[in-house]
Amino acid sequence: QCIAEGIWVFGVLRTLHTWTSMWDVSLWFMVSGVFLFVARLAAAATVTQQDIFSLTKPSPGLTRALLTAGGVIVLGQLANYLYAPAAMILINRLLDPELVAYYEAAVQIDAALLLLVTALATVLLPKAAVAHAANDRFAVRRYYVRGTLVSLAMLTLGAVAAYALSPWIFPLWLGEEMRTTRAI
């Protein structure tokens, strides 16, 4: 993943001495994506010790199941991806610009708090995948329940800490107390 990101950054930076068009940026993004795809295939072949580069025809049932699950995941990600810009457009149109500034600071704190959940998910998802592959439903359920409770506890503690420290954080960060943001 890091090498793929490096390829993209290097490619874009290489073209900065001339006008970098959207075509250049998208081309290097595609090159890095292709590299990442091939690298992941190679890693999967190494882990599974199978020749995944062979062109054998997959079973229709497996293909349908993978496409269905993948489609649901893509739709969920797409909804999440489209939600944030649409929400900000509505907020900018419905609220006074001063209120938008207060709200945007709260959104940044919310995003920082969600990093805690992302960190936990980064650890739990591979473990849950291994348990699922081993058909260990008890472990999957345990990871789900404990993960939910731990993420709730982490977010609660993080929110309380952010609120408690906000009288000192906002003047350092934004130069004022931001009482409206603290209320949000």
Side-chain angles (χ1 to χ4, degrees):
Q1 177 96 29
C2 290
I3 293 170
E5 293 294 326
I7 288 170
W8 181 74
V9 169
F10 174 76
V12 171
L13 289 177
R14 205 175 119 258
T15 60
L16 281 182
H17 64 281
T18 61
W19 168 249
T20 301
S21 68
M22 189 57 75
W23 170 253
D24 295 330
V25 173
S26 61
L27 175 71
W28 281 106
F29 186 73
M30 184 186 72
V31 168
S32 72
V34 168
F35 170 81
L36 185 58
F37 176 71
V38 172
R40 285 181 173 166
L41 277 178
T46 302
V47 169
T48 62
Q49 305 216 345
Q50 295 178 0
D51 182 17
I52 61 173
F53 293 104
S54 67
L55 298 175
T56 59
K57 185 177 179 184
S59 72
L62 177 62
T63 302
R64 192 171 22 264
L66 287 174
L67 287 176
T68 301
V72 169
I73 292 169
V74 166
L75 283 175
Q77 291 294 323
L78 180 64
N80 190 33
Y81 180 74
L82 294 176
Y83 163 77
M88 287 313 297
I89 290 169
L90 288 172
I91 288 166
N92 281 322
R93 291 188 184 237
L94 297 174
L95 294 179
D96 180 74
E98 183 178 342
L99 291 176
V100 171
Y102 291 125
Y103 180 75
E104 188 58 35
V107 168
Q108 295 301 314
I109 292 171
D110 178 54
L113 288 172
L114 287 178
L115 287 175
L116 296 171
V117 176
T118 302
L120 180 65
T122 302
V123 173
L124 283 181
L125 284 177
K127 290 182 175 219
V130 169
H132 176 71
N135 205 20
D136 187 355
R137 293 176 187 224
F138 178 74
V140 172
R141 184 178 295 119
R142 186 178 68 235
Y143 289 138
Y144 178 77
V145 170
R146 286 184 182 171
T148 301
L149 293 174
V150 169
S151 66
L152 175 66
M154 285 189 333
L155 283 174
T156 302
L157 289 173
V160 168
Y163 184 75
L165 296 173
S166 65
W168 297 284
I169 293 172
F170 285 128
L172 287 173
W173 179 28
L174 300 169
E176 65 177 270
E177 286 187 4
M178 306 286 286
R179 291 178 193 260
T180 306
T181 301
R182 289 178 60 207
I184 294 171

